[in-house]
Amino acid sequence: MTEAIKSSLRDSKTARWVVLILVSLAMLTAYLFMEILSPLKTMVQNAYGWDNSQWGIVTGAQGYLNVFAGMLILGGIILDKMGIRFTAITSGIVMLGGAALKYYAFIAEPGGDILGIPSQVFLAASGFAIFCVGAETAGITVSKILVKWFKGKELALSMGLEMASARLGSALALFGSPRIAAAMDIPTPIMFAAILLLVGLILFLVYAMMDAKYDKEGEAVASESDSSDDFKISDIGHIIKNPGFWYIALLCLLFYSAVFPFYKYGPDLMVNKYGVDPAKAGDIPGWLPIGTMLLTPVFGTLYDRKGKGASIMILGAILLIVVHLIYWTPSLDTVGFAYLAVIVLGIGFSLVPSAMWPSVPKIVEDRYLGTSYALIFFIQNIGLMGIPILVGKVLDIMNPGVSDKLDAARESLKAQGLSASEVGDKITEMRIAGDLPNYDYTNTWLIFVGLTIAALFLAIMLKRQDKKSGYGLEKPNMA
Ligand SMILES: C[C@H](NC(=O)[C@@H](N)CCCCN)C(=O)O
């Protein structure tokens, strides 16, 4: 009888799936906020006069605290020391705090400079940097939650479904945000997304109650004492001596740098190169997360059953080169090509992660797994920070005078007493009519082409190292 009560929660399929729904929806809200501003680049620039470098400062803020202040590593240590409940709730609060600051930057439109950066840009970047500390920590916490509840059961499936839910969050932001901004104003979608983060925090609180019950039932002792997912500073020395770790970490950096920053610049590319209406700027890039939701589990199953992990990563990198070459080629400027490229990107962005993440346990020993994932995310964040900044800077350099012309038009409209939203709408109209210039992305897009070529090179090196070290990347995961 006592045994039956003890094991009731963990063995309850319903409880497990309730946990999965709670944390998946919480991650949906996190990924939704992560991309809420991405499809608004054209509108934000038209309304507030940010140049591309300033856009890069805000969208690259993902890594300021996670990389420079080592918050991702600290998040791993906090998770290890303070446990799942504390870290889940704290990360929810941190995300909400960062989101509130970002919203304030847009609603208050503060004037003046902070550290030589326009106050609005500085506060929006600070809010996003804080939010991303919470979001990355929430990501590693949710993985640990799923291991706790699903280990030995439907673990891979639960992880796939949680990832699909997160991708749905990105898609909702890309499709919904510009429509809401066009119908209302720019701060409104940010406010909605912040309110959803509050819902995400409530979901984490509900989860914490279930988790406390689970632990009370005593079953958790075994799983909590399984320290394979814990972050340990002492492990770092062992991990970085492994060449396979470096290949996969750098591949992750290059690969994700060619994809996630696409969310930040792709919608504006659609407006400037393909003539898409800014209120629908996220529609074409929005098919990327939808495609990956469906395809990642398919390719994951393929890898589980048939193997060929290193080859899958090589194929994924080749597809990414094709995609970015299509976006780069000036003559391929009809919407059909934009859709074609995003479909191929969806296949590539499903292939690589479905092989990359399950390959890590083949390269590093189980006891170093938690630390390895945190380190890979840390290295990945360097790219997620650096690439948006670089793309913004290069875009400004490659388009001399464009921001100045937009600024001059904005100033004269402001002088007529129009609000930021009204100025934005007018500038948009003038750009569509050809009275004001658009940005030419051609040379700038070579950054993405270069990243994908480097990713292909690393994927080939990883396959060679696999042959040498016998990681078994080409072997199926299932016996
Ligand atoms: C699993 C993986 N997640 C990450 O790579 C996170 N470190 C970064 C998420 C940033 C989202 N803009 C993924 O989402 O594939």
Side-chain angles (χ1 to χ4, degrees):
M1 176 65 188
T2 329
E3 265 319 295
I5 295 169
K6 265 188 177 178
S7 61
S8 61
L9 208 54
R10 179 173 163 79
D11 286 345
S12 156
K13 204 169 178 170
T14 314
R16 276 202 305 283
W17 289 90
V18 168
V19 165
L20 179 62
I21 291 169
L22 290 173
V23 299
S24 298
L25 289 179
M27 288 314 286
L28 182 154
T29 65
Y31 272 60
L32 189 146
F33 191 87
M34 185 100 60
E35 303 308 339
I36 199 71
L37 198 63
S38 303
L40 304 183
K41 178 173 183 284
T42 320
M43 290 190 199
V44 166
Q45 291 190 289
N46 290 349
Y48 303 111
W50 297 9
D51 61 22
N52 297 298
S53 306
Q54 288 160 349
W55 177 259
I57 289 174
V58 174
T59 52
Q62 161 131 24
Y64 299 157
L65 297 173
N66 279 329
V67 175
F68 289 129
M71 289 306 288
L72 222 163
I73 304 284
L74 195 67
I77 296 171
I78 290 171
L79 176 59
D80 179 18
K81 300 278 173 264
M82 306 298 291
I84 285 173
R85 293 193 286 277
F86 176 86
T87 318
I89 294 169
T90 309
S91 60
I93 294 171
V94 172
M95 282 194 277
L96 196 58
L101 181 57
K102 191 168 175 178
Y103 175 61
Y104 171 79
F106 283 94
I107 197 75
E109 292 182 42
D113 284 2
I114 302 175
L115 301 177
I117 299 170
S119 303
Q120 191 187 38
V121 173
F122 185 91
L123 292 179
S126 305
F128 193 48
I130 295 169
F131 162 81
C132 285
V133 170
E136 286 288 354
T137 310
I140 52 176
T141 308
V142 164
S143 301
K144 193 160 179 174
I145 291 172
L146 295 180
V147 170
K148 180 172 179 173
W149 287 78
F150 284 87
K151 198 168 182 179
K153 304 218 159 56
E154 310 89 346
L155 182 61
L157 178 63
S158 69
M159 288 188 162
L161 290 175
E162 180 267 317
M163 186 54 27
S165 171
R167 299 274 184 259
L168 180 62
S170 308
L172 289 174
L174 290 163
F175 281 105
S177 179
R179 284 185 170 78
I180 298 173
M184 323 274 279
D185 55 18
I186 290 170
T188 305
I190 304 173
M191 183 191 71
F192 282 150
I195 292 171
L196 286 175
L197 281 176
L198 180 62
V199 175
L201 174 60
I202 294 168
L203 295 174
F204 273 148
L205 284 165
V206 175
Y207 168 74
M209 288 193 276
M210 288 185 73
D211 188 87
K213 193 162 175 236
Y214 176 109
D215 282 0
K216 234 192 216 148
E217 284 176 359
E219 271 293 313
V221 180
S223 123
E224 287 277 18
S225 62
D226 168 8
S227 58
S228 63
D229 291 311
D230 292 348
F231 182 90
K232 291 189 210 77
I233 293 274
S234 55
D235 290 352
I236 295 176
H238 295 276
I239 296 165
I240 60 174
K241 281 190 212 135
N242 182 341
F245 167 80
W246 281 109
Y247 288 132
I248 204 137
L250 293 175
L251 185 57
C252 176
L253 182 153
L254 292 167
F255 177 73
Y256 275 91
S257 292
V259 178
F260 281 143
F262 172 75
Y263 287 150
K264 317 287 186 203
Y265 286 93
D268 193 47
L269 175 84
M270 300 305 146
V271 175
N272 285 274
K273 179 172 177 183
Y274 298 98
V276 170
D277 174 357
K280 293 180 183 156
D283 284 14
I284 299 176
W287 285 103
L288 171 59
I290 292 181
T292 57
M293 269 171 70
L294 306 171
L295 290 176
T296 308
V298 175
F299 293 138
T301 312
L302 205 74
Y303 182 27
D304 278 346
R305 299 205 174 147
K306 304 269 179 236
K308 304 270 174 231
S311 307
I312 288 177
M313 286 185 255
I314 291 176
L315 178 61
I318 293 172
L319 292 183
L320 252 77
I321 297 176
V322 174
V323 169
H324 285 306
L325 279 174
I326 294 177
Y327 284 133
W328 166 73
T329 308
S331 56
L332 303 182
D333 59 356
T334 54
V335 172
F337 283 109
Y339 273 109
L340 173 72
V342 92
I343 291 168
V344 182
L345 183 56
I347 299 171
F349 189 41
S350 304
L351 281 170
V352 178
S354 66
M356 178 184 284
W357 300 115
S359 291
V360 180
K362 293 180 169 181
I363 290 174
V364 298
E365 289 174 49
D366 271 6
R367 61 196 165 125
Y368 301 138
L369 217 47
T371 314
S372 302
Y373 278 120
L375 277 180
I376 292 173
F377 279 168
F378 178 81
I379 292 166
Q380 175 206 43
N381 264 259
I382 298 172
L384 298 185
M385 169 182 69
I387 296 304
I389 294 175
L390 180 70
V391 171
K393 260 254 147 312
V394 173
L395 192 56
D396 274 337
I397 295 169
M398 293 298 159
N399 289 271
V402 174
S403 296
D404 291 343
K405 282 190 188 128
L406 296 177
D407 267 348
R410 188 173 309 100
E411 285 313 315
S412 90
L413 289 166
K414 259 166 86 180
Q416 294 166 30
L418 279 103
S419 70
S421 256
E422 290 163 340
V423 171
D425 291 345
K426 273 259 170 271
I427 302 268
T428 303
E429 275 170 31
M430 290 162 86
R431 286 176 76 179
I432 291 171
D435 298 336
L436 282 172
N438 279 323
Y439 290 110
D440 179 358
Y441 269 90
T442 313
N443 293 326
T444 310
W445 217 261
L446 283 173
I447 296 173
F448 289 116
V449 177
L451 283 168
T452 50
I453 292 173
L456 174 61
F457 174 73
L458 267 162
I460 293 169
M461 297 288 286
L462 178 63
K463 189 169 175 177
R464 284 172 94 191
Q465 189 65 39
D466 175 46
K467 267 199 192 127
K468 217 159 124 191
S469 304
Y471 299 133
L473 300 186
E474 294 291 273
K475 294 198 179 123
N477 299 325
M478 283 160 59

